[in-house]
Amino acid sequence: MAETTPTHGGVDTLTPTKPAKASTPKGTIILGDSSPGGETIQMKAIVVTDQAAGTAGMTLVERPEPQAAINDVVVEVHASGFVGTELAWPSTWTDRLDRDRTPVIPGHELAGVVTALGYGTTGLSVGQRVFGLTDWYRDGTLAEYAAVEARNLAPLPGDVDFTVGASLPISGLTAWQGLFDHGRLRAGQSVIAHGAAGAVGSMVTQLARLAGAYVIGTGRAADRQAALDFGAQEFVDLENDALEDVGGVDLVFDLIGGDIGTRSARLVRAGGTLVSIVGPPEARPVDGLAVDFVVESDRAQLSEIVQRVRDGRLRTNIGTVAALNDAVAAFNPTERRPGKTIICVRP
């Protein structure tokens, strides 16, 4: 993902209000309150302080539990997702006024339970299971608790595991918005899904097939079978096959950029679309559109995606599942691992 813009207008510097206590189930922690002795309640969290260090600079520390600002909820995080490229995004390191905000808690996908409501928050309730995508400019989800604008979350049905819920927001919303909002995909069209065995690419492949498209997946040779299993009808090994042999297509979903993006642009038919999530395309289709976008949270789309998981039409692409105490090692593997890494914050 390239340089980002906010998912929605999040709250960064408002003075937190006292969370709502009405309808709070017995035993629920009211975050933002001090302990009886006046001490700030602490939680475990992964933080980063040095952009150059990348994931190797991640550290497990104790941080104050967050408070719910206006229109926020606080979520007890049960599972969290992380995208490695987010450590290169400007929004990870500064707020909207370009002020340094390190140490930063990374991660923007979560599934968990609402434990507190901020002033004016509507649509969600304390004790509700939720999942969603948090604001780019705020502390994230690799922690025991996270403060999130309520509109960025959707209800998580009781029959969907928290680990599954945390794997869906970025991958699912990126695929949905790229195909349907920006790519205007219709049944009978053809799609090149780059990185078809990856977290986003596998969602692109499945959603495009469900929409009635013909899907050509790409990737490394080792990814061939996984891409076909996710529904690709053809596969192009980008290291050994000629991409140009595919011929013209109606939509290219580019997760790679560079030379692959440039060559892909030439394959877009008249009236077709090149959709990119790796920044503005270096080349544009001769007689088509080129769109680059940053994924946004959308409650209705999250609900559509999770319903397809529930009824078996959509499969997640989870690889490694690790505990929060093991998150630093999980994000610094010694070998390439397939699928999305999910951190199980609570067993």
Side-chain angles (χ1 to χ4, degrees), residues 83 109 133 166-177 198-204 207 253 295 305 317 340:
V83 177
E109 299 170 284
L133 181 64
S167 74
L168 295 174
I170 287 182
S171 301
L173 288 172
T174 299
W176 188 286
Q177 291 168 18
V200 175
S202 60
M203 284 288 178
V204 171
L207 287 172
F253 205 122
V295 63
I305 291 163
N317 189 2
K340 187 175 183 66

Side-chain angles (χ1 to χ4, degrees), residues 45-50 57-59 61 63 86-87 90-95 99-108 136-142:
I46 299 292
V47 299
V48 289
T49 57
D50 181 4
M58 288 180 163
T59 309
V61 301
R63 287 280 296 271
E86 72 182 65
L87 297 186
S91 56
T92 296
W93 304 99
T94 62
D95 64 16
R99 299 173 300 195
D100 179 83
R101 62 184 188 90
T102 56
V104 175
I105 300 174
H108 292 287
W136 307 126
Y137 288 89
R138 301 177 67 178
D139 273 343
T141 62
L142 289 175

Side-chain angles (χ1 to χ4, degrees), residues 252 254 257-268 272-276 278-292:
V252 173
D254 184 20
D259 178 62
I260 294 297
T262 298
R263 291 161 59 194
S264 297
R266 303 186 193 118
L267 301 178
V268 177
T273 308
L274 170 64
V275 175
S276 169
V278 291
E282 297 177 10
R284 305 176 68 86
V286 173
D287 191 17
L289 297 176
V291 178
D292 70 289

Side-chain angles (χ1 to χ4, degrees), residues 171 175 193-207 226 230-231 255 314-317:
S171 301
H194 284 310
V200 175
S202 60
M203 284 288 178
V204 171
T205 299
Q206 293 178 88
L207 287 172
F230 278 114
L255 317 180
L314 198 60
R315 289 195 294 125
T316 58
N317 189 2

Side-chain angles (χ1 to χ4, degrees), residues 272-333:
T273 308
L274 170 64
V275 175
S276 169
I277 62 168
V278 291
E282 297 177 10
R284 305 176 68 86
V286 173
D287 191 17
L289 297 176
V291 178
D292 70 289
F293 76 102
V294 177
V295 63
E296 297 182 347
S297 193
D298 186 296
R299 182 179 291 176
Q301 291 175 359
L302 285 170
S303 296
E304 291 282 357
I305 291 163
V306 78
Q307 181 56 45
R308 284 161 174 75
V309 173
R310 295 178 73 195
D311 62 26
R313 288 180 290 165
L314 198 60
R315 289 195 294 125
T316 58
N317 189 2
I318 299 172
T320 301
V321 178
L324 185 61
N325 288 345
D326 301 320
V328 175
F331 292 128
N332 290 277

